[in-house]
Amino acid sequence: MQGSFICWCCYFHSEILSLGRGTIWKRSEVVLSDPDPDPEFGTGRLSFVVAYSPFDVQPEFEITEASMCSWSEKLNADLSGTMDGSTMKKYRREAYHRVFVNRSLAMEKIKCFGFDMDYTLAVYKSPEYEALGFDLTVERLVSIGYPQELCNFVYDPVFPTRGLIFDTLYGNLLKVDAYGNILVCAHGFNFMRGPDIREQYPNKFIQRDDTERFYILNTLFNLPETYLFACLVDFFTNCPRYTSCETGFKDGDLFMSYKSMFQDVREAVDWVHYKGSLKEKTLENLATYVVKEPKLALLLSRMNEVGKVFLVTNSDYTYTNKIMTYMFDFAHGPEPGTAHRPWQSYFDLVVVDARKPLFFSEGTVLRQVDTATGHLKIGTHTGPLQHGIVYSGGSSDIMGDLLGTKGKDILYIGDHIFGDILKSKKRQGWRTFLVIPELAQELHVWTDKSNLFEELQSLDVFLAELYKHLDSSSNERPDISAIQRRIKKVTHDMDMCYGMMGSLFRSGSRQTLFASQVMRYADLYAASFINLLYYPFSYLFRAAHVLMPHESTVEHSHVDIRDVESPMATRNRSTSSMDIKETEHKRHHLTRSIKKLYVSAAIGKI
């Protein structure tokens, strides 16, 4: 916020509260109205809470320019003089209730809340749902000619994680960073070591943009096939009937490449989802496969009070209706004692068969759904938005016109990093909220295994100590092999706490491709969107400062750049207190010279 407090209007809402240590303080909510609002904050209204002693400030006074100045000076004095470090520590909600912020977002600017359904509103139980998809896919592969032994496979949730890449040339599962550097490489269930990896991938690096060869397994729906790829490679590698080759395997005169195997698995997965019995079995056992969130109706009803709410799902109406009916199947409404409401009443707009990510570009024809039969009505919908009508297809542009909102007015909440988050952000400029169910486990390991993270930091300290007294003139070469081995051991132990393929977000100190995508495209993220219940709709989600290495590793002690022994020390664009008068004098003369030039130019035109 720019400018002084003189140009602000303010009012107080006060109450008495205790801040500990037996001291009674006054709590005031200060609402400031800015006549020249900063676009980052949106409305020009800023609400925050200050605490001060009731003995220092009068409860009622007339707000004048002078009192505003004295109030701001007094607040600054109170903050700097009476609050110690422990009192000033930033309040944070419980970790499992937190919404994490990559880019600042003012909730009061959001006019419309959008939702995906699968794995967002309707969270499928793990590992039950993944095991069902895995078994059905194996059955499909066996039905098209794959060995009967595949039916012995049992889904293991400990192995797969999201964000892995399948190499269709060599049949490997790869965990990479944002630049394509390989962090983990597994051939079946055999984890390859550095020298073996370099034989197939020089410099332990891949070209991620080679999408013909490398397939990213980014979604929760990809977890069963991720494990199935490992099972198939392991089976054909170790089964005596088959001969392993670099790019596939042989059975007599028959050759099956890993690329062909990949295509078969992908087709089998699509068949299970669109033509098979996955949805049918899910609907037959909803309590087994779908999490029923009791706070869902409460959050949506509160969103209804401050904006519009819409649902956009790729699922068809029949499946969507049965899932959502189950999700809202409670005896009461949003709160106990309120009347039950049908699920459609919580949404201003419902779109099924959206075909995301196509929905975020050209889209498809927008049609109405006959909710009695589940069939589509003939013709294209061209009228205004009608509450309670379910639509099929369309596009994000059409949807924005119907709702009267667009771009950054919309906060879209989904689980698919590509289909929901990346495309809505890049093509429409929507604000984005990524649901990451695995975050609960990630937070558990981060807190429960803090000793491993601390040991990694200690090893960095030991490494620095070995080189502390050495410079370019030193011939001494410290033996760091033991520290390097220990770093690898601790990193491996840390990764195994998450699962066989390690953390979703990192490998040791290096972030994964998935982590980089989350940071780049998701404005907010959390284990569940229900965490929004713990924040007011006036909340300013403020992104943490992202420090570069020269900031995070250098302490805030004063360093006079003129004392630094470097020719680059002359690149100083700041001024010391002694040079301020001289600098101002030079600026004054420069301004006068520019004014003379303008006057001369004007006279010349006349």
Side-chain angles (χ1 to χ4, degrees):
M1 296 176 294
Q2 303 296 325
S4 68
F5 279 90
I6 296 176
C7 64
W8 295 78
C9 305
C10 86
Y11 59 87
F12 289 82
H13 169 69
S14 302
E15 63 184 57
I16 302 298
L17 77 163
S18 172
L19 290 183
R21 300 183 184 177
T23 305
I24 301 299
W25 292 65
K26 179 181 285 289
R27 172 188 182 277
S28 290
E29 182 178 357
V30 185
V31 181
L32 303 176
S33 297
D34 184 2
D36 183 22
D38 187 326
E40 182 180 358
F41 290 89
T43 63
R45 294 183 71 253
L46 177 64
S47 175
F48 61 92
V49 173
V50 295
Y52 49 85
S53 168
F55 306 109
D56 295 335
V57 180
Q58 296 298 321
E60 294 181 2
F61 57 89
E62 181 182 359
I63 298 176
T64 63
E65 289 188 4
S67 65
M68 282 298 294
C69 290
S70 62
W71 174 82
S72 71
E73 292 171 359
K74 189 143 194 81
L75 177 60
N76 287 332
D78 286 344
L79 290 174
S80 60
T82 63
M83 292 189 175
D84 57 22
S86 60
T87 309
M88 288 292 291
K89 185 177 180 180
K90 183 177 179 180
Y91 168 74
R92 298 187 188 279
R93 286 161 174 77
E94 290 292 331
Y96 297 101
H97 292 164
R98 290 271 301 280
V99 172
F100 299 94
V101 189
N102 287 320
R103 273 165 299 283
S104 298
L105 185 150
M107 285 292 284
E108 65 180 4
K109 289 183 64 177
I110 301 302
K111 299 177 182 177
C112 208
F113 300 90
F115 288 91
D116 178 35
M117 185 182 75
D118 298 304
Y119 277 115
T120 301
L121 288 175
V123 176
Y124 297 105
K125 293 183 180 180
S126 180
E128 292 84 358
Y129 187 73
E130 287 89 0
L132 174 63
F134 178 86
D135 293 342
L136 293 175
T137 305
V138 169
E139 288 179 12
R140 175 62 181 171
L141 288 175
V142 171
S143 72
I144 64 173
Y146 273 71
Q148 191 69 33
E149 292 97 321
L150 269 60
C151 294
N152 297 325
F153 293 164
V154 178
Y155 180 72
D156 183 2
V158 175
F159 180 85
T161 186
R162 272 200 289 173
L164 301 182
I165 292 177
F166 185 72
D167 180 1
T168 62
L169 179 62
Y170 293 130
N172 299 326
L173 284 169
L174 306 172
K175 187 177 185 179
V176 304
D177 66 12
Y179 309 102
N181 297 302
I182 296 174
L183 307 175
V184 178
C185 177
H187 188 74
F189 298 115
N190 175 42
F191 286 83
M192 299 170 63
R193 295 184 176 275
D196 298 325
I197 296 174
R198 288 186 178 88
E199 285 185 11
Q200 295 182 342
Y201 309 97
N203 301 317
K204 295 179 68 175
F205 173 81
I206 65 169
Q207 294 285 349
R208 284 202 304 109
D209 55 358
D210 184 0
T211 54
E212 288 294 318
R213 175 178 172 182
F214 299 109
Y215 183 79
I216 303 178
L217 299 151
N218 251 351
T219 76
L220 290 162
F221 284 115
N222 290 139
L223 289 177
E225 66 189 280
T226 300
Y227 185 63
L228 183 54
F229 285 135
C231 288
L232 289 172
V233 171
D234 184 74
F235 172 79
F236 287 117
T237 300
N238 295 297
C239 182
R241 299 200 310 269
Y242 301 93
T243 303
S244 294
C245 304
E246 188 175 37
T247 60
F249 44 88
K250 282 185 175 183
D251 180 11
D253 294 331
L254 299 176
F255 173 73
M256 172 69 82
S257 68
Y258 292 121
K259 181 140 185 118
S260 297
M261 184 193 74
F262 164 78
Q263 291 169 340
D264 289 342
V265 172
R266 283 267 71 240
E267 290 172 3
V269 169
D270 288 342
W271 188 90
V272 165
H273 278 267
Y274 298 113
K275 298 180 181 179
S277 58
L278 177 64
K279 290 183 178 179
E280 179 184 344
K281 290 183 178 295
T282 302
L283 295 177
E284 289 174 356
N285 302 276
L286 286 170
T288 302
Y289 297 119
V290 182
V291 177
K292 196 173 184 179
E293 174 52 66
K295 298 177 183 177
L296 173 59
L298 177 60
L299 177 59
L300 293 181
S301 66
R302 290 179 179 176
M303 287 179 168
N304 289 143
E305 295 173 2
V306 298
K308 295 179 180 179
V309 182
F310 66 88
L311 169 65
V312 177
T313 175
N314 285 353
S315 295
D316 62 83
Y317 174 73
T318 301
Y319 182 76
T320 300
N321 183 46
K322 290 182 179 180
I323 290 288
M324 296 298 287
T325 299
Y326 172 76
M327 294 288 294
F328 288 84
D329 184 21
F330 294 97
H332 55 77
E335 297 184 81
T338 60
H340 175 267
R341 292 163 51 186
W343 69 267
Q344 294 93 334
S345 67
Y346 293 91
F347 299 94
D348 296 278
L349 174 67
V350 176
V351 178
V352 298
D353 305 313
R355 294 185 62 187
K356 295 175 292 183
L358 184 66
F359 179 83
F360 295 110
S361 52
E362 62 268 24
T364 58
V365 174
L366 181 68
R367 301 171 67 180
Q368 286 189 18
V369 177
D370 184 341
T371 55
T373 63
H375 299 151
L376 300 182
K377 295 183 179 181
I378 61 173
T380 302
H381 177 79
T382 58
L385 174 65
Q386 300 178 40
H387 193 78
I389 297 296
V390 177
Y391 299 89
S392 172
S395 68
S396 53
D397 289 329
I398 296 174
M399 189 211 69
D401 292 338
L402 289 172
L403 292 170
T405 55
K406 61 180 180 179
K408 294 183 179 180
D409 294 340
I410 299 171
L411 176 63
Y412 189 64
I413 302 166
D415 69 285
H416 196 309
I417 190 69
F418 183 78
D420 291 326
I421 304 303
L422 185 150
K423 290 301 181 182
S424 64
K425 168 67 67 177
K426 291 185 69 173
R427 294 187 175 179
Q428 296 297 331
W430 291 2
R431 306 311 302 269
T432 52
F433 184 123
L434 181 64
V435 175
I436 310 176
E438 303 98 325
L439 194 58
Q441 167 68 5
E442 295 277 337
L443 286 170
H444 172 72
V445 174
W446 179 259
T447 54
D448 191 54
K449 301 297 181 180
S450 59
N451 60 306
L452 294 175
F453 295 99
E454 291 168 0
E455 184 174 354
L456 275 181
Q457 292 178 321
S458 298
L459 291 169
D460 286 338
V461 172
F462 294 150
L463 199 60
E465 283 293 316
L466 290 177
Y467 289 101
K468 182 168 65 174
H469 301 294
L470 306 181
D471 59 19
S472 57
S473 66
S474 305
N475 294 322
E476 179 183 350
R477 298 183 62 181
D479 183 5
I480 62 172
S481 57
I483 295 180
Q484 287 179 309
R485 287 194 300 270
R486 187 58 188 171
I487 288 174
K488 289 182 179 180
K489 174 67 166 59
V490 175
T491 299
H492 178 265
D493 291 345
M494 191 166 59
D495 284 347
M496 290 303 99
C497 294
Y498 296 98
M500 291 183 67
M501 292 299 290
S503 166
L504 177 63
F505 298 107
R506 64 175 58 252
S507 178
S509 60
R510 300 167 68 182
Q511 290 184 339
T512 62
L513 169 62
F514 186 87
S516 69
Q517 291 175 326
V518 171
M519 295 181 68
R520 184 174 181 182
Y521 297 111
D523 296 322
L524 309 176
Y525 67 96
S528 170
F529 71 92
I530 291 294
N531 289 4
L532 286 172
L533 266 177
Y534 305 102
Y535 296 84
F537 288 106
S538 60
Y539 194 81
L540 173 63
F541 285 103
R542 188 72 177 161
H545 296 287
V546 179
L547 301 179
M548 294 184 68
H550 73 275
E551 297 166 322
S552 61
T553 61
V554 177
E555 296 180 2
H556 283 277
S557 57
H558 177 70
V559 177
D560 193 334
I561 195 170
R562 293 173 298 184
D563 297 335
V564 179
E565 294 181 359
S566 169
M568 297 306 292
T570 58
R571 299 289 295 171
N572 181 13
R573 295 180 292 165
S574 62
T575 55
S576 66
S577 58
M578 296 179 63
D579 298 330
I580 290 178
K581 289 185 178 180
E582 183 180 351
T583 303
E584 289 297 324
H585 182 70
K586 290 180 179 179
R587 286 177 180 170
H588 176 69
H589 278 282
L590 179 59
T591 303
R592 288 186 62 186
S593 300
I594 292 173
K595 285 182 178 179
K596 287 180 180 179
L597 288 174
Y598 277 116
V599 171
S600 300
I603 293 174
K605 288 183 179 180
I606 294 172

